[in-house]
Amino acid sequence: MASKKVVILGHALWRRSSSCRGGLCAGFNIPAFSCGSFASSGTTMNKQECCKDGQNCGPTKNAAAVTSHRHQIVGKNRAEESLAKSGRAFSSTAPQTNNKTYLWARYNEMKRLVHDLIPPGVCNLLNPSTIYANNEVNLEEVDIYGFDYDYTLAQYSSALDEMIYNKAREFLVQHYKYPEGIGKYDYIPNFAARGLHYDIQKGLLMKIDAFHYIQLGTVYRGLKPIPDEEVMQLYNGSNHVPLHQVSGFYGKGPVMKQFMDVFSIPEMTLLAAANDYFISNDIEYDPVHLYKDVSDAIGMVHIKGYMYKWIMQDLEKYILRGDETYAVLHRLASQGKKLFLITNSPFSFVDKGMKYMVGKDWREFFDVVIVQADKPHFFNDCVKPFRRLDGNGDMKWDRIKSLDKGQIYKQGNLVDFLKLTGWQGSKVFYFGDHLYSDLADLMLRHGWRTGAIVPELEVETKVVNTEQYAQSLTWLQALTGLLERMQMYRDPESKKVLQEWLKEREELRAVTKNLFNPHFGSIFRTCHNPTYFSRRLCRFSDLYMASISCLLNYDLSYTFYPRRTPLQHEAPLWMDQLCTGCMKTPFLEEMAHIR
């Protein structure tokens, strides 16, 4: 029912925009289809109807008539353009006086239109168990499925983040001799978000978009936001970060570090807390040293095995949805698919977790198991040879001539892996949570299919499904359209109206941002552009999803088709796109039974 309502909404917008009554089509991006080139004709759209008698100027019109009409409009545009340059811009058919009243009438009419065209129930469209496609993928062509372990096969509770933070804070104070006052900073859940950048030299945490622009309002020094004016001063009068600073292939330039995995949330929070302590107490410090020490302290939590110990001691507390992991592996194996595991975690840790989720015979599901692989180096060099482990996890000395089912292997490299298995190209599908360490090399250098696990999708989908978000975003887009079309009104009263609209637009942007995270907003978008994280997600993954259990929603011959969203110069002719992708998710009995 929800998808039908969206189609109704789309067709209603279509009909309204086709008539362009009162110039209403100017508030949306769809009139380019119904009104041809007139949609971008500037001032003539302010009050001018698209065609005589409200008829559609689309392809059904007589070509000569359309050409004639277009020449008339262009002529008027040129005349009005000269008036605009003289400071007296107005439409030939719009009221010549009291532009303020006219602008507010347009505003109110657009607001009524937006309100009327959002039907009840439209806000429940997105299924959080959907798989989203960046590229067309036919699962029938996939014979081999590979998986990372942490945050892919094993999903962890947020309680783990606080444990990592507390132990790293303890290392910072006791091992690196930082002030004890830092120990008073408790973990702040939901402060940081995945995909943020950190300016190592300035000690600033921020969100950057796909075009390398800092999203103003999301720059933090410690736990406090920095005013936009100060941000501009710090970056030489611009909020743009030069390409070489953020373009490192694995997310690190000379002065910027991008935090790309879920394990980085505690690190960002500790960096913010430590910076805040020094600043609040007016203590001079070097942000570069702080960054290195916090990074090392977080690393010690992993290297010394604390995280592994916590999880193994209380699997029920930390591991989520183990039954779903079992269901996915069982389904793939029972349908003749080959499975493999490549993880950086040690065997004892993986073994205990898999026994908890899948059962004591979990290794029977996998044709190849590789632990302590040292990704991303496993994927991009051929230095380390494979070593075989015995049942106790001890290394053996024999030369590896084949990768056999039932055996456990350590280290190794992808070149030898490909030689020993013969698993090449797009018949191999690998799933992981880290875009750089897990997926980038496999997609770009080896042509494997890749699936990104993005747990944040589940929470963000719930936000997108709320009525507040739907109404705020729809009105934000409509208001932006009004601003674009009405900006040629430049008399003093009109400028005041437009300034009020701009202020409201900024307020709406803040509202939609805060619905996701009051500090940094959505991990996928800045105000209107995709984030840098989102850009990498689209570049390095064919599919992305909240968890591997989303695979249970689709049969293994399913083809994923990416939605053809219009480019800026294209008209949205394909109304069927409103009900494809996320809105046509088959929901199989396996998932319903587990949940």
Side-chain angles (χ1 to χ4, degrees), residues 151-255:
Y151 282 106
T152 301
L153 290 178
Q155 292 283 340
Y156 300 121
S157 68
S158 58
L160 184 61
D161 293 338
E162 185 171 1
M163 294 290 287
I164 294 172
Y165 173 90
N166 290 339
K167 183 52 93 173
R169 181 190 59 190
E170 181 183 312
F171 278 135
L172 203 60
V173 173
Q174 295 183 2
H175 183 80
Y176 292 97
K177 308 304 179 185
Y178 273 69
E180 292 186 359
I182 292 176
K184 297 179 181 179
Y185 280 77
D186 293 330
Y187 180 68
I188 306 172
N190 303 318
F191 170 74
R194 185 151 62 130
L196 298 179
H197 280 79
Y198 185 76
D199 189 318
I200 298 169
Q201 295 178 352
K202 295 182 176 67
L204 304 177
L205 192 63
M206 66 191 73
K207 187 163 76 169
I208 295 178
D209 73 12
F211 300 96
H212 298 182
Y213 282 91
I214 301 167
Q215 181 181 356
L216 297 177
T218 68
V219 182
Y220 278 72
R221 179 185 287 120
L223 298 172
K224 297 179 178 63
I226 298 180
D228 297 345
E229 298 78 14
E230 185 177 347
V231 173
M232 300 294 280
Q233 292 174 1
L234 287 169
Y235 291 92
N236 301 317
S238 170
N239 62 323
H240 182 265
V241 179
L243 176 65
H244 73 279
Q245 293 187 11
V246 296
S247 63
F249 186 74
Y250 295 106
K252 184 178 179 181
V255 298

Side-chain angles (χ1 to χ4, degrees), residues 437-506:
S437 297
D438 289 326
L439 308 181
D441 289 294
L442 296 178
M443 168 173 273
L444 299 182
R445 301 184 185 188
H446 302 283
W448 285 13
R449 295 297 195 178
T450 55
I453 305 302
V454 189
E456 296 90 344
L457 268 172
E458 193 163 344
V459 173
E460 296 222 359
T461 298
K462 291 178 181 177
V463 173
V464 172
N465 279 341
T466 62
E467 185 176 354
Q468 183 181 7
Y469 178 83
Q471 291 180 345
S472 298
L473 183 65
T474 306
W475 174 234
L476 172 61
Q477 294 298 90
L479 183 60
T480 301
L482 273 177
L483 281 163
E484 182 180 9
R485 302 301 184 190
M486 299 295 101
Q487 62 183 304
M488 61 285 302
Y489 284 85
R490 293 169 186 155
D491 59 277
E493 287 298 313
S494 296
K495 284 185 175 180
K496 289 181 182 179
V497 173
L498 296 177
Q499 283 301 315
E500 287 189 49
W501 293 359
L502 284 169
K503 182 180 178 182
E504 182 179 1
R505 181 172 180 253
E506 290 305 309

Side-chain angles (χ1 to χ4, degrees), residues 185-470:
Y185 280 77
D186 293 330
Y187 180 68
I188 306 172
N190 303 318
F191 170 74
R194 185 151 62 130
L196 298 179
H197 280 79
Y198 185 76
D199 189 318
I200 298 169
Q201 295 178 352
K202 295 182 176 67
L204 304 177
L205 192 63
M206 66 191 73
K207 187 163 76 169
I208 295 178
D209 73 12
F211 300 96
H212 298 182
Y213 282 91
I214 301 167
Q215 181 181 356
L216 297 177
T218 68
V219 182
Y220 278 72
R221 179 185 287 120
L223 298 172
K224 297 179 178 63
I226 298 180
D228 297 345
E229 298 78 14
E230 185 177 347
V231 173
M232 300 294 280
Q233 292 174 1
L234 287 169
Y235 291 92
N236 301 317
S238 170
N239 62 323
H240 182 265
V241 179
L243 176 65
H244 73 279
Q245 293 187 11
V246 296
S247 63
F249 186 74
Y250 295 106
K252 184 178 179 181
V255 298
M256 285 280 186
K257 164 68 184 291
Q258 186 181 19
F259 292 100
M260 290 298 282
D261 65 348
V262 185
F263 282 131
S264 63
I265 301 294
E267 183 176 354
M268 287 185 275
T269 308
L270 184 56
L271 275 169
N275 273 299
D276 190 79
Y277 174 82
F278 285 121
I279 294 167
S280 299
N281 292 278
D282 198 24
I283 299 173
E284 186 177 352
Y285 71 107
D286 189 331
V288 176
H289 295 332
L290 175 61
Y291 165 77
K292 184 181 183 304
D293 293 342
V294 168
S295 180
D296 289 346
I298 291 286
M300 288 176 71
V301 176
H302 296 271
I303 293 170
K304 290 183 175 292
Y306 287 99
M307 188 194 79
Y308 304 134
K309 182 178 69 174
W310 299 328
I311 294 173
M312 288 193 290
Q313 287 177 346
D314 198 342
L315 295 168
E316 188 173 353
K317 176 181 179 179
Y318 292 110
I319 293 184
L320 306 174
R321 300 179 180 175
D323 49 353
E324 296 179 14
T325 298
Y326 168 80
V328 171
L329 298 178
H330 180 270
R331 187 158 172 255
L332 293 172
S334 64
Q335 296 196 33
K337 304 299 182 181
K338 293 184 180 298
L339 307 182
F340 66 94
L341 171 66
I342 302 178
T343 175
N344 285 349
S345 292
F347 172 69
S348 59
F349 174 68
V350 174
D351 184 53
K352 190 152 188 176
M354 290 298 289
K355 284 179 178 176
Y356 171 76
M357 293 187 291
V358 180
K360 63 179 182 179
D361 298 325
W362 68 270
R363 286 157 60 181
E364 292 300 315
F365 283 118
F366 293 92
D367 293 86
V368 178
V369 175
I370 300 167
V371 298
Q372 292 177 275
D374 193 26
K375 295 179 292 183
H377 304 295
F378 179 93
F379 294 132
N380 58 39
D381 65 44
C382 54
V383 176
K384 293 181 180 178
F386 282 108
R387 300 291 300 269
R388 187 169 61 86
L389 303 182
D390 63 19
N392 297 319
D394 296 322
M395 283 195 296
K396 305 300 290 183
W397 58 86
D398 52 323
R399 183 178 180 181
I400 304 302
K401 298 180 180 179
S402 62
L403 298 176
D404 301 321
K405 186 167 185 173
Q407 298 296 318
I408 304 297
Y409 299 94
K410 179 181 177 180
Q411 298 174 347
N413 61 84
L414 188 63
V415 173
D416 289 343
F417 180 88
L418 297 176
K419 289 179 181 177
L420 295 172
T421 62
W423 296 343
Q424 304 277 350
S426 59
K427 69 179 181 180
V428 186
F429 208 136
Y430 186 78
F431 296 84
D433 68 293
H434 199 300
L435 300 182
Y436 297 133
S437 297
D438 289 326
L439 308 181
D441 289 294
L442 296 178
M443 168 173 273
L444 299 182
R445 301 184 185 188
H446 302 283
W448 285 13
R449 295 297 195 178
T450 55
I453 305 302
V454 189
E456 296 90 344
L457 268 172
E458 193 163 344
V459 173
E460 296 222 359
T461 298
K462 291 178 181 177
V463 173
V464 172
N465 279 341
T466 62
E467 185 176 354
Q468 183 181 7
Y469 178 83

Side-chain angles (χ1 to χ4, degrees), residues 504-574:
E504 182 179 1
R505 181 172 180 253
E506 290 305 309
E507 291 170 352
L508 286 167
R509 283 179 160 186
V511 167
T512 54
K513 168 198 158 194
N514 293 341
L515 289 173
F516 296 98
N517 177 305
H519 309 289
F520 301 101
S522 167
I523 70 170
F524 300 103
R525 277 199 180 274
T526 57
C527 292
H528 51 276
N529 289 333
T531 58
Y532 196 87
F533 172 84
S534 188
R535 174 186 178 185
R536 294 307 209 189
L537 178 66
C538 294
R539 182 70 182 91
F540 299 145
S541 65
D542 292 291
L543 306 177
Y544 65 99
M545 64 211 75
S547 69
I548 62 164
S549 62
C550 296
L551 287 168
L552 297 172
N553 293 341
Y554 307 83
D555 65 51
L556 297 185
S557 60
Y558 190 86
T559 300
F560 294 93
Y561 296 97
R563 281 178 283 168
R564 183 185 169 97
T565 52
L567 300 175
Q568 294 296 312
H569 66 279
E570 294 177 324
L573 309 183
W574 37 94

